[in-house]
Amino acid sequence: MVKLADLDPGMKDFLLHLPCPKINLNAFNKPLPLAESRVALISSAGLRLRDDAPFTEYALDYRILPKNKQAEIIQDHMNASHDRTGFIQDLNTIFPLDRLEEMADDGEIGSVANYHYSFMGATHPTELEREARSLAKIMIKDEVDVVLLCPV
């Protein structure tokens, strides 16, 4: 992985001064212990199933990734600065579903959700609020207690 100090000065300056939205970090409920929690993944890697519609640039929608369809997951996120080597070698580098299953088997988490989700990276987070709220309602119905965000 590239270190900030190794970037060219223009890119380093851009990243250091990139505005980030303010996010309220106050929990609205008391979470269950992880050993009792159902966990889902949400990625920004532009992941989708091979037969799903491709993501468009700056897409605001998401794709549903059933846990039993890992072999069908492909990545639409393409950018000259995005290194896909890890994804090509092991999906778990950007979407650690196998690690979650191991954690569930070991009793570290209660269970792994049947469905996981991916948005397209490089989309401004505030533009995703409507879809994120919609997705949150779906995950509540699926009894998801914890979401592991997998930014790419």
Side-chain angles (χ1 to χ4, degrees), residues 34-106:
L34 282 176
E36 299 172 22
S37 296
R38 182 173 177 83
V39 181
L41 299 174
I42 297 181
S43 172
S44 64
L47 302 175
R48 65 179 175 91
L49 299 180
R50 190 169 306 283
D51 293 336
D52 287 344
F55 280 102
T56 58
E57 187 175 21
Y58 304 113
L60 301 178
D61 56 345
Y62 59 86
R63 301 293 180 272
I64 301 169
L65 305 169
K67 75 175 180 178
N68 63 344
K69 301 242 179 169
Q70 279 182 272
E72 298 176 38
I73 294 176
I74 61 174
Q75 185 179 35
D76 282 344
H77 190 71
M78 303 228 183
N79 184 303
S81 64
H82 176 62
D83 182 358
R84 295 167 47 97
T85 306
F87 165 76
I88 292 167
Q89 293 175 349
D90 183 0
L91 175 63
N92 286 282
T93 60
I94 63 171
F95 199 68
L97 196 49
D98 289 340
R99 302 300 77 84
L100 280 185
E101 292 288 0
E102 291 168 2
M103 292 175 74
D105 290 346
D106 292 343

Side-chain angles (χ1 to χ4, degrees), residues 115-143:
Y115 300 97
H116 305 274
Y117 308 90
S118 184
F119 288 87
M120 174 55 78
T123 303
H124 197 280
T126 57
E127 298 294 319
L128 298 171
E129 183 174 355
R130 183 171 164 242
E131 288 295 319
R133 288 184 181 279
S134 172
L135 180 54
K137 290 176 185 172
I138 291 168
M139 289 190 294
I140 288 169
K141 287 180 184 174
D142 193 27
E143 299 179 342

